Each structure stands twice: as structure tokens, then as C-alpha cells.
């Protein structure tokens, strides 16, 4: 019976060790993720390592795809990420990326992009953003957008309230930019990027909904109607002054914070990284996390967003499940230690009982031997 109990205790030790060994990798990963839940860059690294561990060729495949689509900036982002992760790339592949970047950075390409951004307000790279921001700094771009959307508002037609609010905010910020001699530049660029992304139809649904609510609060509709009715792109300075009067600066705090974060992404990781963020982020908190990633990862940001999508901007998903893995590991450890304790106690008790029985047996044998000896006279 005693041996059976000891055997059962040993089985318990083995079972607890097996369960612990199975749970430990999950518990370790869960602990790492939970520890990094307040650090978006570290959390993105954990997720990236998992993705690349399963498919090391993912980076080279994405570089090829980016080059095929003419996106040298994205290809360069993947090259930078490969260097960070110590993933070797062929010399031919990196040369093709360098050649593509050199071509897109040429003077002719920059001049064409600048002109496109200045005239249309569309920003897709540094050159076109420079043109778009220049147009907005000279109030032409924002006045153009406000007058266009404002005319729809006056006529009772469908109006893009978001573009309207962003342009009105941009006019107010432009004045501050001049006063601070460029100190509000990132904010100005951020507003232009958000506005352009919206016009291009690339803003996420969540951000459209949020920004739509925010911009409606920052514009005095009656004052704006009056400004638009008497305004014209041919009189940009007078029209901008009237539109700024319809802008409620005290209501624009949230919108300004988002534009600043978008501007931070653009400064740290490039215009296209900012636009990629606006395509996947669903709320201001996710944009703020993207800004923190961009400030740490720089040029790798676009590659990270391409591989992880919105997952790069989310907190530790399934925190309850992660906690349960840790709890399960603790239970397995407790079971293991309890099994060792029980095994030790039962083995000790068995050994003591066996030793006692052996001593008693030896004593009885000795007494029997003495009893069988003849008495000495």
C-alpha cells in the first residue's frame, strides 16, 4: 500500500512536470507581451519576431513586391528592417532598391511631385507633401478646399465636413506657423496629411467617424456660410481671414493632438508611413502609438505596418487569455512542488516504517537466538 502511494506521488511529479513544460513557452511569451503592453515599439518587435520566425523569406518577398509596384520607399523600409533583424539579403536585391530610390529622389522627380502637391494638394511623398504644405502655408490650398466644400454647404448639397474642418483648422494653424517662424510646422504638415488622405479616400472608417465629429465642433457653421458666400480663391487673404473667424480654436484640442501625432510620424518615418498609419488606425490612441513606434523605429515603420497591419497599433490583445497562461504556469509549478513534497513525505514515511520494521525484525531475531541458546549452569 505504501509503495502504491509513493508510486502515485511520483506519477504526480511527472504529470506536473509535463504540463509545466507544455505551458511554459506560452506563459513565457504571455509574460513578455504583458510586460511590453505599454511600449508599442517593443510590442511590435515581439509580434514581428513571431511573424518572421515562421517565414524568414517574408522580407525579401515584400521587397520584390514593393519594387514591382514602384514603391521604392517601402522596399527601402524592408531593407532597413532586415538589417535590424540580421536577415541577410542578396546584393542584387539591395542594389535594385538603391537604384529605385535614387531614381525617385532625382531633381526632376522632386520638381514634378512638388508641382503636383502645390496645385492639387495631393501628397504622396516628400516632394508632393512639400508642395501641398507650401500651398497651405500660402493659404491657397486651404482656401480652395474650404470654398469648394463651403459652396456645397451653402447650396445644401453633400459636404465633406471633415475636409472643411481640417482646412479651417489649417488656416488658423498657418497663422500660428508664421508667428512662430515655423514652430508649428509638424502640426501644419499633419493637418495637410490628414486632409489629403481623406480626399484620396484612404482614411480608415474609424478615423473618418471620429474626425467628422471633431471637425463639426470646431467650425461655426453660420459664420462659415457667410465667409464662403462672400469669399473667393481669387482673394485668398481676405477669404482666409473671414474663415479663421469661423474657427473655434477652443474646441480643436483633440484634432490638434492627432495632427501633431501624424506630423511626428511624417518627420520620423516619412510621409508614406504617416499615410499608411491613417489607413489602418481606427482612433487617435492608435495614431499616438504609431507615432511612438515611428520615433523608435524610423524608416522601418512602413515595413512594420505592412507586416502587422493594425495589429502593430493595438495593445496586448487578449490580456485575460495571456494572464490565464501565466496563472496556468503558476498552477503547474504549484502542482509540481506539491507533488515533490508529497513524494518526499511518502517516501520518507515509507523508509521510516521499513527501517522500523527491519529493526524490529532484527530485534526479534536476536531475542529468538538468545532464547534458543542453552542456559549456562
Amino acid at each position: 500500500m505504501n509503495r502504491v502511494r509513493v508510486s502515485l506521488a511520483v506519477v504526480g511529479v511527472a504529470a506536473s512536470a509535463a504540463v509545466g513544460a507544455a505551458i511554459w513557452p506560452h506563459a513565457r511569451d504571455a509574460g513578455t507581451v504583458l510586460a511590453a503592453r505599454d511600449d508599442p515599439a517593443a510590442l511590435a518587435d515581439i509580434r514581428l519576431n513571431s511573424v518572421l520566425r515562421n517565414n524568414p523569406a517574408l522580407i525579401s518577398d515584400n521587397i520584390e513586391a514593393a519594387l514591382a509596384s514602384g514603391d521604392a520607399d517601402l522596399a527601402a523600409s524592408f531593407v532597413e528592417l532586415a538589417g535590424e533583424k540580421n536577415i541577410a539579403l542578396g546584393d542584387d536585391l539591395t542594389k535594385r532598391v538603391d537604384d529605385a530610390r535614387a531614381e525617385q529622389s532625382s531633381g526632376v522627380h522632386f520638381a514634378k511631385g512638388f508641382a503636383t502637391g502645390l496645385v492639387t494638394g495631393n501628397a504622396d511623398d516628400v516632394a508632393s507633401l512639400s508642395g501641398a504644405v507650401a500651398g497651405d502655408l500660402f493659404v491657397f490650398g486651404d482656401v480652395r478646399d474650404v470654398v469648394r466644400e463651403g459652396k456645397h454647404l451653402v447650396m445644401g448639397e453633400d459636404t465633406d465636413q471633415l475636409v472643411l474642418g481640417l482646412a479651417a483648422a489649417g488656416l488658423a494653424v498657418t497663422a500660428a506657423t508664421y508667428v512662430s517662424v515655423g514652430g508649428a510646422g509638424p502640426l501644419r504638415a499633419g493637418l495637410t496629411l490628414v486632409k489629403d488622405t481623406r480626399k484620396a479616400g484612404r482614411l480608415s472608417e474609424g478615423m473618418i467617424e471620429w474626425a467628422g465629429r471633431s471637425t463639426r465642433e470646431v467650425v461655426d457653421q453660420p459664420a462659415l456660410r457667410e465667409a464662403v458666400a462672400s469669399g473667393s480663391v481669387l482673394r485668398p487673404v481676405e477669404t482666409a481671414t473671414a474663415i479663421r473667424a469661423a474657427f473655434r480654436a477652443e474646441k480643436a484640442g483633440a484634432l490638434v493632438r492627432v495632427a501633431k501625432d501624424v506630423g511626428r510620424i511624417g518627420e520620423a518615418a516619412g510621409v508614406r508611413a504617416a499615410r499608411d498609419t491613417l489607413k489602418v488606425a481606427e482612433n487617435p490612441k492608435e495614431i499616438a502609438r504609431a507615432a511612438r513606434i515611428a520615433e523608435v523605429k524610423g524608416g522601418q515603420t512602413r515595413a512594420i505596418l505592412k507586416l502587422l497591419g493594425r495589429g502593430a497599433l493595438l495593445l496586448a490583445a487578449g490580456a485575460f487569455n495571456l494572464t490565464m497562461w501565466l496563472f496556468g504556469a503558476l498552477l503547474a509549478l504549484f502542482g509540481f512542488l506539491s507533488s515533490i513534497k508529497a513524494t518526499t513525505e511518502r517516501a520518507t514515511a515509507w523508509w521510516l516504517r521499513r527501517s522500523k520494521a527491519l529493526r524490529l525484525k532484527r530485534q526479534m531475531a536476536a531475542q529468538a537466538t538468545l532464547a534458543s541458546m542453552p542456559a549456562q549452569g
Side-chain angles (χ1 to χ4, degrees):
M1 183 65 180
N2 289 329
R3 288 185 178 182
V4 171
R5 290 180 178 177
V6 173
S7 298
L8 289 175
V10 170
V11 170
V13 171
S16 298
V19 171
I23 290 178
W24 169 244
H26 300 285
R28 180 194 56 210
D29 292 344
T32 304
V33 171
L34 287 174
R37 67 186 181 278
D38 296 324
D39 187 341
L43 199 57
D45 262 332
I46 293 169
R47 290 167 174 158
L48 274 174
N49 291 338
S50 176
V51 170
L52 296 175
R53 190 185 307 122
N54 296 330
N55 187 2
L58 202 56
I59 286 185
S60 58
D61 290 345
N62 274 278
I63 292 174
E64 292 286 3
L67 289 174
S69 65
D71 194 342
D73 182 76
L74 180 58
S77 180
F78 273 105
V79 169
E80 190 170 336
L81 180 62
E84 172 69 18
K85 298 299 181 184
N86 295 316
I87 295 176
L89 299 173
D91 293 339
D92 177 66
L93 185 59
T94 54
K95 184 179 184 304
R96 286 163 55 203
V97 173
D98 291 339
D99 291 344
R101 290 196 73 187
E103 181 181 349
Q104 293 191 2
S105 300
S106 65
V108 173
H109 187 275
F110 186 91
K112 181 179 179 182
F114 185 91
T116 300
L118 180 64
V119 175
T120 67
N122 296 329
D124 192 46
D125 54 17
V126 174
S128 55
L129 176 66
S130 299
V133 171
D136 286 346
L137 281 174
F138 288 107
V139 306
F140 167 76
D142 284 329
V143 168
R144 173 197 61 212
D145 293 331
V146 171
V147 169
R148 182 182 62 243
E149 296 302 329
K151 294 294 185 184
H152 295 315
L153 183 66
V154 171
M155 298 297 294
E157 300 171 349
D158 289 339
T159 305
D160 194 326
Q161 296 283 351
L162 177 50
V163 170
L164 192 61
L166 288 168
L171 289 170
V173 169
T174 297
T177 302
Y178 282 123
V179 169
S180 64
V181 194
L187 171 57
R188 170 66 273 180
L191 284 168
T192 297
L193 273 169
V194 177
K195 184 179 67 172
D196 173 61
T197 304
R198 168 56 176 163
K199 290 193 295 182
R202 297 177 182 175
L203 199 64
S204 70
E205 290 299 322
M207 284 304 301
I208 289 173
E209 182 179 349
W210 176 86
R213 292 195 306 268
S214 299
T215 50
R216 278 193 291 270
E217 296 175 356
V218 303
V219 176
D220 183 337
Q221 297 282 351
L224 184 65
R225 285 191 179 94
E226 183 177 344
V228 170
S230 59
S232 169
V233 293
L234 300 178
R235 300 190 308 277
V237 177
E238 295 86 345
T239 303
T241 301
I243 292 170
R244 278 198 293 267
F247 178 70
R248 297 168 176 163
E250 72 280 1
K251 301 281 189 179
L255 187 64
V256 166
R257 283 192 294 274
V258 167
K260 282 183 177 179
D261 285 335
V262 173
R264 286 164 57 201
I265 298 169
E267 281 195 323
V271 174
R272 293 188 177 184
R275 294 194 59 170
D276 288 350
T277 299
L278 289 168
K279 282 173 21 180
V280 299
E282 292 290 333
N283 55 62
K285 289 183 179 179
E286 292 179 7
I287 289 180
R289 285 195 281 275
R292 292 175 63 187
I293 292 174
E295 288 174 342
V296 175
K297 297 298 183 181
Q300 303 170 42
T301 305
R302 286 197 73 198
I304 292 171
L305 291 173
K306 179 68 174 178
L307 290 177
L308 301 180
R310 189 185 172 206
L313 310 180
L314 297 176
L315 291 174
F320 176 77
N321 291 334
L322 295 173
T323 303
M324 289 306 295
W325 279 117
L326 291 176
F327 183 65
L330 288 175
L331 284 180
L333 178 61
F334 178 77
F336 179 70
L337 295 176
S338 297
S339 297
I340 289 178
K341 179 176 178 292
T343 301
T344 303
E345 289 175 346
R346 290 173 184 176
T348 301
W350 173 80
W351 184 80
L352 290 174
R353 282 192 293 267
R354 183 173 179 276
S355 298
K356 185 177 180 180
L358 288 173
R359 283 198 305 272
L360 182 58
K361 185 177 180 180
R362 284 197 296 267
Q363 290 173 1
M364 290 177 64
Q367 290 175 1
T369 301
L370 291 172
S372 62
M373 292 176 64
Q376 296 181 354

